[in-house]
């Protein structure tokens, strides 16, 4: 097995534009957030009680798509919109 170690891409080298076309617009990611962070991503969302664990679905470029209280609902929404969901840790 050979590895091309001549140039490795670092996160700083990946532009939002490059992420937007990643996977031909077919990839989305799921991540968990705290309810305290909802307003930053979804300013139109109603006030949510603090201390809750929620899940967001984002386009590959980071654009928030949806907010839900279950990972399964986020995954189902991705698949419903023909997106391939991946998890971010």
């Amino acid at each position: 097995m050979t590895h091309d170690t001549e140039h490795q891409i670092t996160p700083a080298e990946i532009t939002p534009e490059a992420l937007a076309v990643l996977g031909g617009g077919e990839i989305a990611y799921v991540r968990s957030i705290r309810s305290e962070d909802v307003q930053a991503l979804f300013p139109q969302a109603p006030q949510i009680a603090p201390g809750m664990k929620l899940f967001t679905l984002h386009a590959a470029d980071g654009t928030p798509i949806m907010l839900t209280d279950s990972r399964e609902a986020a995954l189902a929404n991705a698949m419903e919109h023909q997106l391939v969901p991946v998890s971010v840790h």
Side-chain angles (χ1 to χ4, degrees):
M1 177 187 292
T2 33
H3 296 282
D4 181 10
T5 57
E6 201 169 302
H7 180 75
Q8 293 182 355
I9 297 174
T10 63
E13 295 178 75
I14 301 173
T15 65
E17 293 80 17
L19 286 173
V21 297
L22 182 68
E26 296 176 1
I27 294 177
Y29 66 90
V30 176
R31 84 173 222 217
S32 64
I33 66 168
R34 298 175 321 166
S35 55
E36 293 85 353
D37 300 324
V38 168
Q39 290 299 310
L41 291 172
F42 299 92
Q44 72 281 13
Q47 194 67 21
I48 299 174
M52 294 178 63
K53 181 178 179 179
L54 301 169
F55 296 86
T56 58
L57 179 67
H58 297 262
D61 68 352
T63 303
I65 297 172
M66 76 166 295
L67 173 71
T68 182
D69 63 350
S70 78
R71 184 174 183 277
E72 292 75 20
L75 293 171
N77 187 275
M79 290 184 262
E80 179 180 317
H81 290 94
Q82 299 171 341
L83 298 169
V84 176
V86 297
S87 293
V88 175
H89 300 279

